Amino acid sequence: MTRVVVVDDQTLVRHGIRTLLDIAHVEVVGEADDGAAALEVIAQEAPDVVLLDLRMPRYDGLWTLRHLRDRGIEVPVLVLTTFDDDTLVLDALQSGARGYLLKDVTVEQLTYAVQTLADGGTLIAPSITDRLLRAIRAGAVPTPEASVPAQDLTDREQEVLRLMAEGYPNRQIAQALFLAEGTVKNHVSTILLKLGARDRTNAVLRALRDGLLR
């Protein structure tokens, strides 16, 4: 059973999410009402996935993401919020979030996203992805510069990158392309190196910005 920590400053929201996830047989092992409390619960419970709201008093979601990253805690974080501002979405993804959904999702969409992140994938609401892609290409929102110039990707690396952008974890990429999972891991590492990206999410953002997803 997938183990989840829910971080939201509203008690009613936390309890509602817990009830929905219980129905879907996802175990909520901890709750927190701000970033500081979240760090403690995450360290104690070591969940498979964290559901994180962005707008919270005191220590908000972005603060939490950055402190998780700075402490080297590599837990997949799914942002679950009512805010879909392009800059806020990018800030969250660049700070380490692996997924971004709005709170109007269905139970099925939420549980699918949780399982996708638990399996090593990424997932961003399609409506947000489409709008974000247009904004990035139009230069309306800033994206980080890579530490090295992008090198040409091979056709196979393009295929892997495209599936990464669609949120596929390595196992599903391997199945889709009829490759060994170890081969996919090697391709992902090469893609990160060529794009100068620190993780999968930043690699996809860089690829979107530079038009590398043919």
Side-chain angles (χ1 to χ4, degrees):
M1 182 178 290
T2 304
R3 305 169 71 255
V4 170
V5 164
V6 179
V7 185
D8 195 295
D9 63 309
Q10 298 185 38
T11 303
L12 186 60
V13 172
R14 294 198 308 273
H15 289 179
I17 293 173
R18 175 187 284 272
T19 299
L20 293 175
L21 292 178
D22 283 345
I23 294 172
H25 306 293
V26 175
E27 183 182 7
V28 177
V29 296
E31 299 179 13
D33 60 3
D34 75 352
L39 294 180
E40 294 182 7
V41 175
I42 292 168
Q44 178 179 344
E45 298 295 341
D48 300 309
V49 177
V50 174
L51 300 185
L52 177 68
D53 189 18
L54 288 183
R55 297 289 175 87
M56 298 180 291
R58 299 186 299 276
Y59 304 104
D60 64 12
L62 292 177
W63 183 94
T64 307
L65 285 165
R66 289 162 184 161
H67 277 72
L68 286 171
R69 183 185 62 196
D70 292 345
R71 296 185 184 191
I73 302 175
E74 297 182 355
V75 59
V77 176
L78 173 63
V79 171
L80 187 62
T81 185
T82 57
F83 301 95
D84 64 346
D85 173 81
D86 291 336
T87 301
L88 193 60
V89 173
L90 271 179
D91 283 344
L93 296 176
Q94 291 167 4
S95 296
R98 289 257 298 277
Y100 200 109
L101 292 180
L102 301 180
K103 286 182 178 177
D104 60 357
V105 294
T106 65
V107 178
E108 291 77 14
Q109 290 170 328
L110 178 59
T111 54
Y112 175 77
V114 168
Q115 195 57 55
T116 296
L117 265 67
D119 289 341
T122 60
L123 194 146
I124 305 172
S127 60
I128 295 176
T129 303
D130 292 342
R131 195 185 67 246
L132 193 60
L133 175 56
R134 291 194 296 270
I136 289 173
R137 286 177 172 169
V141 291
T143 54
E145 293 297 328
S147 58
V148 296
Q151 301 177 39
D152 290 337
L153 299 177
T154 66
D155 289 342
R156 179 63 82 189
E157 288 162 356
Q158 283 275 349
E159 292 176 322
V160 172
L161 180 60
R162 176 173 52 80
L163 294 176
M164 287 168 57
E166 293 178 13
Y168 282 48
N170 289 346
R171 176 174 52 81
Q172 292 181 359
I173 294 176
Q175 293 171 350
L177 298 180
F178 303 101
L179 299 173
E181 188 170 349
T183 301
V184 172
K185 289 180 180 178
N186 290 337
H187 282 310
V188 171
S189 296
T190 301
I191 290 167
L192 296 184
L193 182 62
K194 286 186 175 182
L195 297 183
R198 66 174 179 269
D199 56 36
R200 297 166 73 103
T201 304
N202 275 266
V204 171
L205 289 174
R206 175 97 198 281
L208 290 173
R209 184 196 65 190
D210 293 350
L212 299 179
L213 291 172
R214 295 194 294 266

